[in-house]
Short mmCIF file of all heavy atoms in Angstrom, two decimals:
data_model
loop_
_atom_site.label_atom_id
_atom_site.label_comp_id
_atom_site.label_asym_id
_atom_site.label_seq_id
_atom_site.Cartn_x
_atom_site.Cartn_y
_atom_site.Cartn_z
N LYS O 1 17.01 149.51 -96.53
CA LYS O 1 16.06 148.62 -97.19
C LYS O 1 16.73 147.76 -98.26
O LYS O 1 16.17 146.77 -98.71
CB LYS O 1 14.91 149.41 -97.79
CG LYS O 1 15.32 150.31 -98.93
CD LYS O 1 14.14 151.03 -99.51
CE LYS O 1 14.60 151.84 -100.73
NZ LYS O 1 13.51 152.39 -101.46
N ASP O 2 17.96 148.12 -98.63
CA ASP O 2 18.66 147.40 -99.69
C ASP O 2 19.69 146.38 -99.21
O ASP O 2 20.09 145.51 -99.96
CB ASP O 2 19.37 148.40 -100.62
CG ASP O 2 18.38 149.29 -101.35
OD1 ASP O 2 17.28 148.81 -101.68
OD2 ASP O 2 18.71 150.46 -101.57
N GLU O 3 20.15 146.51 -97.96
CA GLU O 3 21.16 145.56 -97.49
C GLU O 3 21.10 145.38 -95.98
O GLU O 3 20.63 146.25 -95.26
CB GLU O 3 22.56 145.99 -97.91
CG GLU O 3 23.08 147.22 -97.23
CD GLU O 3 24.48 147.61 -97.65
OE1 GLU O 3 24.95 147.18 -98.72
OE2 GLU O 3 25.12 148.36 -96.91
N SER O 4 21.59 144.24 -95.55
CA SER O 4 21.68 143.90 -94.14
C SER O 4 23.00 143.20 -93.89
O SER O 4 23.59 142.60 -94.79
CB SER O 4 20.55 142.93 -93.74
OG SER O 4 19.30 143.51 -93.93
N PHE O 5 23.46 143.28 -92.65
CA PHE O 5 24.60 142.48 -92.24
C PHE O 5 24.08 141.24 -91.54
O PHE O 5 23.10 141.30 -90.78
CB PHE O 5 25.52 143.27 -91.30
CG PHE O 5 26.27 144.36 -92.00
CD1 PHE O 5 25.96 145.68 -91.77
CD2 PHE O 5 27.30 144.06 -92.88
CE1 PHE O 5 26.65 146.70 -92.41
CE2 PHE O 5 27.99 145.07 -93.54
CZ PHE O 5 27.66 146.39 -93.29
N VAL O 6 24.72 140.11 -91.79
CA VAL O 6 24.32 138.85 -91.19
C VAL O 6 25.52 138.30 -90.43
O VAL O 6 26.62 138.18 -90.99
CB VAL O 6 23.87 137.83 -92.26
CG1 VAL O 6 23.49 136.51 -91.62
CG2 VAL O 6 22.72 138.39 -93.08
N PHE O 7 25.31 137.99 -89.16
CA PHE O 7 26.35 137.39 -88.32
C PHE O 7 25.93 135.96 -88.01
O PHE O 7 24.78 135.73 -87.62
CB PHE O 7 26.50 138.15 -87.00
CG PHE O 7 26.85 139.59 -87.16
CD1 PHE O 7 25.87 140.56 -87.30
CD2 PHE O 7 28.18 139.99 -87.18
CE1 PHE O 7 26.19 141.90 -87.43
CE2 PHE O 7 28.51 141.34 -87.32
CZ PHE O 7 27.51 142.29 -87.45
N THR O 8 26.84 135.01 -88.18
CA THR O 8 26.56 133.62 -87.84
C THR O 8 27.63 133.12 -86.88
O THR O 8 28.81 133.41 -87.05
CB THR O 8 26.52 132.73 -89.09
OG1 THR O 8 27.76 132.87 -89.81
CG2 THR O 8 25.36 133.09 -90.00
N ALA O 9 27.19 132.39 -85.86
CA ALA O 9 28.11 131.83 -84.86
C ALA O 9 28.01 130.31 -84.92
O ALA O 9 26.91 129.77 -84.99
CB ALA O 9 27.74 132.33 -83.47
N SER O 10 29.16 129.66 -84.86
CA SER O 10 29.17 128.23 -85.15
C SER O 10 29.96 127.42 -84.13
O SER O 10 30.73 127.94 -83.33
CB SER O 10 29.78 128.02 -86.53
OG SER O 10 29.95 126.67 -86.83
N ARG O 11 29.78 126.12 -84.24
CA ARG O 11 30.54 125.17 -83.43
C ARG O 11 31.98 125.03 -83.91
O ARG O 11 32.77 124.36 -83.29
CB ARG O 11 29.85 123.81 -83.46
CG ARG O 11 28.49 123.85 -82.83
CD ARG O 11 27.79 122.54 -82.94
NE ARG O 11 26.41 122.72 -82.50
CZ ARG O 11 25.42 121.95 -82.89
NH1 ARG O 11 25.64 120.94 -83.71
NH2 ARG O 11 24.21 122.18 -82.46
N ASP O 12 32.30 125.69 -85.03
CA ASP O 12 33.68 125.67 -85.52
C ASP O 12 34.52 126.80 -84.91
O ASP O 12 35.61 127.05 -85.35
CB ASP O 12 33.74 125.72 -87.05
CG ASP O 12 33.20 127.02 -87.65
OD1 ASP O 12 32.88 127.96 -86.90
OD2 ASP O 12 33.09 127.09 -88.89
N ARG O 13 33.96 127.50 -83.91
CA ARG O 13 34.58 128.57 -83.12
C ARG O 13 34.62 129.91 -83.85
O ARG O 13 35.17 130.88 -83.35
CB ARG O 13 35.96 128.20 -82.59
CG ARG O 13 37.07 128.20 -83.63
CD ARG O 13 38.42 127.94 -83.02
NE ARG O 13 39.43 127.90 -84.02
CZ ARG O 13 39.86 128.95 -84.73
NH1 ARG O 13 39.37 130.13 -84.52
NH2 ARG O 13 40.80 128.81 -85.64
N LEU O 14 34.03 130.02 -85.05
CA LEU O 14 34.08 131.25 -85.82
C LEU O 14 32.76 131.99 -85.79
O LEU O 14 31.69 131.40 -85.69
CB LEU O 14 34.40 130.94 -87.28
CG LEU O 14 35.78 130.36 -87.59
CD1 LEU O 14 35.87 129.99 -89.06
CD2 LEU O 14 36.87 131.32 -87.20
N ILE O 15 32.87 133.32 -85.90
CA ILE O 15 31.73 134.18 -86.19
C ILE O 15 32.00 134.74 -87.58
O ILE O 15 33.07 135.28 -87.84
CB ILE O 15 31.60 135.33 -85.17
CG1 ILE O 15 31.43 134.78 -83.76
CG2 ILE O 15 30.45 136.25 -85.55
CD1 ILE O 15 31.60 135.82 -82.68
N LYS O 16 31.05 134.56 -88.47
CA LYS O 16 31.22 135.08 -89.83
C LYS O 16 30.29 136.28 -90.01
O LYS O 16 29.15 136.28 -89.56
CB LYS O 16 30.91 134.01 -90.87
CG LYS O 16 31.97 132.91 -90.88
CD LYS O 16 31.80 131.99 -92.06
CE LYS O 16 32.89 130.95 -92.10
NZ LYS O 16 34.14 131.43 -92.64
N LEU O 17 30.83 137.30 -90.66
CA LEU O 17 30.07 138.51 -90.97
C LEU O 17 29.88 138.56 -92.47
O LEU O 17 30.85 138.50 -93.23
CB LEU O 17 30.83 139.75 -90.49
CG LEU O 17 30.38 141.09 -91.03
CD1 LEU O 17 28.92 141.37 -90.72
CD2 LEU O 17 31.26 142.21 -90.48
N GLY O 18 28.64 138.63 -92.90
CA GLY O 18 28.32 138.72 -94.32
C GLY O 18 27.38 139.87 -94.60
O GLY O 18 26.74 140.39 -93.69
N LYS O 19 27.32 140.27 -95.85
CA LYS O 19 26.39 141.31 -96.28
C LYS O 19 25.36 140.64 -97.17
O LYS O 19 25.69 139.89 -98.09
CB LYS O 19 27.13 142.39 -97.06
CG LYS O 19 26.25 143.58 -97.39
CD LYS O 19 26.99 144.63 -98.19
CE LYS O 19 27.94 145.38 -97.30
NZ LYS O 19 28.54 146.55 -97.97
N LEU O 20 24.08 140.92 -96.90
CA LEU O 20 22.97 140.36 -97.64
C LEU O 20 22.22 141.49 -98.32
O LEU O 20 21.79 142.43 -97.67
CB LEU O 20 22.05 139.60 -96.68
CG LEU O 20 20.83 138.92 -97.26
CD1 LEU O 20 21.25 137.78 -98.19
CD2 LEU O 20 19.94 138.40 -96.14
N THR O 21 22.09 141.41 -99.65
CA THR O 21 21.38 142.46 -100.40
C THR O 21 19.90 142.11 -100.50
O THR O 21 19.49 140.98 -100.21
CB THR O 21 21.98 142.63 -101.80
OG1 THR O 21 21.80 141.41 -102.53
CG2 THR O 21 23.46 142.98 -101.73
N CYS O 22 19.11 143.07 -100.95
CA CYS O 22 17.65 142.87 -101.03
C CYS O 22 17.28 141.77 -102.03
O CYS O 22 16.23 141.17 -101.92
CB CYS O 22 16.95 144.17 -101.37
SG CYS O 22 17.40 144.87 -102.96
N ASP O 23 18.15 141.48 -103.00
CA ASP O 23 17.87 140.39 -103.94
C ASP O 23 18.45 139.06 -103.45
O ASP O 23 18.64 138.13 -104.22
CB ASP O 23 18.37 140.74 -105.35
CG ASP O 23 19.86 141.04 -105.39
OD1 ASP O 23 20.49 141.10 -104.33
OD2 ASP O 23 20.38 141.21 -106.50
N LEU O 24 18.76 139.00 -102.15
CA LEU O 24 19.25 137.80 -101.46
C LEU O 24 20.62 137.33 -101.94
O LEU O 24 20.95 136.16 -101.86
CB LEU O 24 18.23 136.66 -101.53
CG LEU O 24 16.87 136.97 -100.92
CD1 LEU O 24 15.95 135.77 -101.01
CD2 LEU O 24 17.01 137.41 -99.47
N GLU O 25 21.41 138.25 -102.44
CA GLU O 25 22.79 137.94 -102.79
C GLU O 25 23.63 138.17 -101.54
O GLU O 25 23.57 139.21 -100.91
CB GLU O 25 23.26 138.85 -103.92
CG GLU O 25 24.59 138.44 -104.49
CD GLU O 25 24.95 139.29 -105.71
OE1 GLU O 25 24.09 139.46 -106.58
OE2 GLU O 25 26.09 139.78 -105.75
N ALA O 26 24.43 137.17 -101.16
CA ALA O 26 25.20 137.25 -99.92
C ALA O 26 26.69 137.22 -100.21
O ALA O 26 27.15 136.53 -101.12
CB ALA O 26 24.83 136.10 -99.00
N HIS O 27 27.45 138.00 -99.43
CA HIS O 27 28.90 138.07 -99.57
C HIS O 27 29.54 138.04 -98.20
O HIS O 27 29.15 138.81 -97.31
CB HIS O 27 29.32 139.36 -100.28
CG HIS O 27 28.70 139.54 -101.62
ND1 HIS O 27 29.16 138.90 -102.74
CD2 HIS O 27 27.65 140.28 -102.01
CE1 HIS O 27 28.41 139.24 -103.77
NE2 HIS O 27 27.48 140.07 -103.35
N LEU O 28 30.53 137.19 -98.03
CA LEU O 28 31.28 137.16 -96.78
C LEU O 28 32.18 138.38 -96.71
O LEU O 28 32.87 138.72 -97.66
CB LEU O 28 32.14 135.90 -96.69
CG LEU O 28 32.97 135.76 -95.43
CD1 LEU O 28 32.09 135.50 -94.21
CD2 LEU O 28 33.99 134.65 -95.58
N ILE O 29 32.18 139.06 -95.56
CA ILE O 29 33.06 140.21 -95.35
C ILE O 29 34.29 139.80 -94.58
O ILE O 29 35.42 140.07 -94.98
CB ILE O 29 32.32 141.36 -94.62
CG1 ILE O 29 31.18 141.88 -95.49
CG2 ILE O 29 33.27 142.49 -94.27
CD1 ILE O 29 30.28 142.88 -94.80
#
């Protein structure tokens, strides 16, 4: 309930993995 992982896929050929906290603070992993 406090955090989620977010994966984004792009036209720049990268997949980025980030961590999103319940207060909407995001960090790239």
Side-chain angles (χ1 to χ4, degrees):
K1 67 178 184 171
D2 296 326
E3 69 179 20
S4 298
F5 289 109
V6 179
F7 301 89
T8 55
S10 174
R11 296 177 189 155
D12 64 6
R13 74 175 178 69
L14 295 174
I15 300 167
K16 291 190 177 280
L17 165 58
K19 187 181 286 189
L20 180 66
T21 63
C22 62
D23 58 353
L24 300 181
E25 189 174 313
H27 303 281
L28 180 69
I29 296 173

